[in-house]
Amino acid sequence: MPDVIVVGGGIAGLTAAHELVERGFKVHVFDSRATWGGKARSQPVPGTGTQNRRALPGEHGFRFYPRFYRHVIDQMQRTPAAGTPGRTVDQHLKATTESAIALIDEDTWFRFSRRRLDKPYDVLEALELFFQKLDFEPSDGSLFGLKMLQFLSSSDERRLGQYEKLSWWDYTQGDRYSPKFQRQLRAVPRTMVAMDPRRGSARTLGTISMQLILDFASSGVNNDRTMGGPTSQMWLDPWVAHLRGLGVQFHAGVRFTGFDVSEGRISRARFDQGGPRTADHYVLAVPVEAAHALITPELAALDPALARLRQTDVEELVAWMVGIQFFLYEDVPLVRGHIFYPDSPWALTSISQPQFWRELGLFRTQFGDGQVGGLLSIDISDWDTPGTFVPKRAKDCTPEEIKTEVWGQLKAALNGGDVVEQVLTDALLHSFHLDADLDYSAGLPPANPSRLLVHPPRSWEARPDAASAIPNLCLAGDYVRTHTDLATMEGACEGGRRAANAILDRAGSRAPRADIWPLTEPAELEPWKRLDAALYQRGRPHLFELLGLQSAYQAADTLRRFSAFTGLSELDDWMDQFRVTSVVDSLLMRIGRR
């Protein structure tokens, strides 16, 4: 049995351990923390639980599991749930059936329920209704909708060769929108994936935006889910217990200090306790900034991909997305899903969690001292813009100041101008918890070891594959090259599987490889992607641009001309032809003759 040392006990490291131990490998997992799960772990607030109740549940940020998460869900389906024979962890997931947008300068907030979209043109129609409800300019909706359709009908070759070099802002022509829509365009990527559209690549933000739009436009209970309780209690602790039962050895509170190299291979791993250790294979499953710091000149000399990452300014690759929880005397469900605050200076997103935790029992009987009945979990995604109530950047605020500013932003958005029937009042607030990973010991700004990769343009070139050129070293994490291509639990899980598969290949194992799934988009778009691949190969722009899409005011005319170009009389008829390959074949023949 080959043995493997996994450095890092987050989602990537646990996934690699899971896949390898099931296939007969001896696995040791090391982490400097005392608990497992990395950024996904729960953070119980010390000293808050009384009379056999659990401590109040803090966290790095709330977890959500959209439809396109397949690797994480598969891992859960293979993990027995604690205390419930015959059940698996994925059965703790709860569907969110709606979402909402709360605007500070409005008297109300808007709920959006999910509905199925059957045709590609339905995407435009749904976006148009969405924009009308939020009172955006019609030209904004026209241009944005067309840019979404352009991306959906763009080939993989164009996305990697052209869109990877652009920011999402430049791709969507952000400067052409109204000021009100520009605020929305800047805010939505930040609230969903902590990305600044001026910094994130169009390829990455576009791919994930398409997945989120398709999630919202799909019917069923798997579109967007949240966990039915604290993440560690419902998933991570049962997962670690299951891996222990399979034979994985866990070593908590042990800091990894580096690899030694000999004859072109890793010869041993060094730790601050217990001396160096050796194994047949090694998996480095730590965040990108930690991996960057651990790449020595000796390692870089053995692998050009590691050398590229070492030469990259890691500060340009990462940003902050940090959670704060407000514990309330009474439950405030708000909406059965997530609420987005597009005009909040700190790009907030929130979810009211107890409504999804009913299977555990009444919240106040399970957590805290019996006084807390509600919990709002909020993600803060912009740490560099001054606040409204505390006019400083979040990075320059104390925890108490962060609490004051976030609570003020929430009240401004949810209460509106109604001073009689307020959703949030100061009397509701029991206490708060700020992500424990923030380290204020050296003063302000705090140190943050749990930042997120934000995928700036051309960053794909700097990111390594899971299989290192060093024959007994693999990398796992959300920064390695994956189909998911996003700093998420899903990306980390896929990265862990890719590392496990590389080790299986190198060991000559006959065991089946861990499943890897690409992201999927509607099959009806494949003929149009094939058309775009032909255009890109010939150095031509996308068909929409070829036909003259320059601004939102030309959108309607562009659609009419596109309809005429395809020989179809009506736009709806043209959109229906997404399903007709012969139309694309005809266009390819025309391009080939030019």
Side-chain angles (χ1 to χ4, degrees), residues 410-521:
L410 292 179
K411 289 194 297 181
L414 295 174
N415 294 345
D418 192 341
V419 297
V420 178
E421 295 186 12
Q422 294 188 322
V423 177
L424 296 182
T425 64
D426 292 341
L428 273 174
L429 184 57
H430 173 276
S431 57
F432 76 98
H433 170 269
L434 185 63
D435 182 9
D437 282 353
L438 292 183
D439 181 2
Y440 287 87
S441 61
L444 295 172
N448 181 5
S450 297
R451 295 173 291 176
L452 290 179
L453 177 72
V454 292
H455 306 266
R458 297 182 182 273
S459 58
W460 183 261
E461 300 170 4
R463 292 161 55 195
D465 291 315
S468 164
I470 301 172
N472 62 342
L473 174 65
C474 289
L475 309 172
D478 55 21
Y479 69 95
V480 305
R481 292 179 175 180
T482 62
H483 293 311
T484 306
D485 192 29
L486 191 68
T488 57
M489 293 182 294
E490 178 74 356
C493 187
E494 184 185 343
R497 288 169 179 243
R498 288 179 179 271
N501 284 346
I503 290 174
L504 291 171
D505 291 341
R506 291 171 174 181
S509 173
R510 295 183 179 181
R513 298 319 187 239
D515 288 322
I516 304 288
W517 292 284
L519 297 175
T520 60
E521 295 174 3

Side-chain angles (χ1 to χ4, degrees), residues 96-111:
T96 66
T97 55
E98 57 184 357
S99 60
I101 289 179
L103 301 174
I104 291 175
D105 58 355
E106 300 286 345
D107 290 334
T108 186
W109 30 289
F110 306 92
R111 295 172 184 260

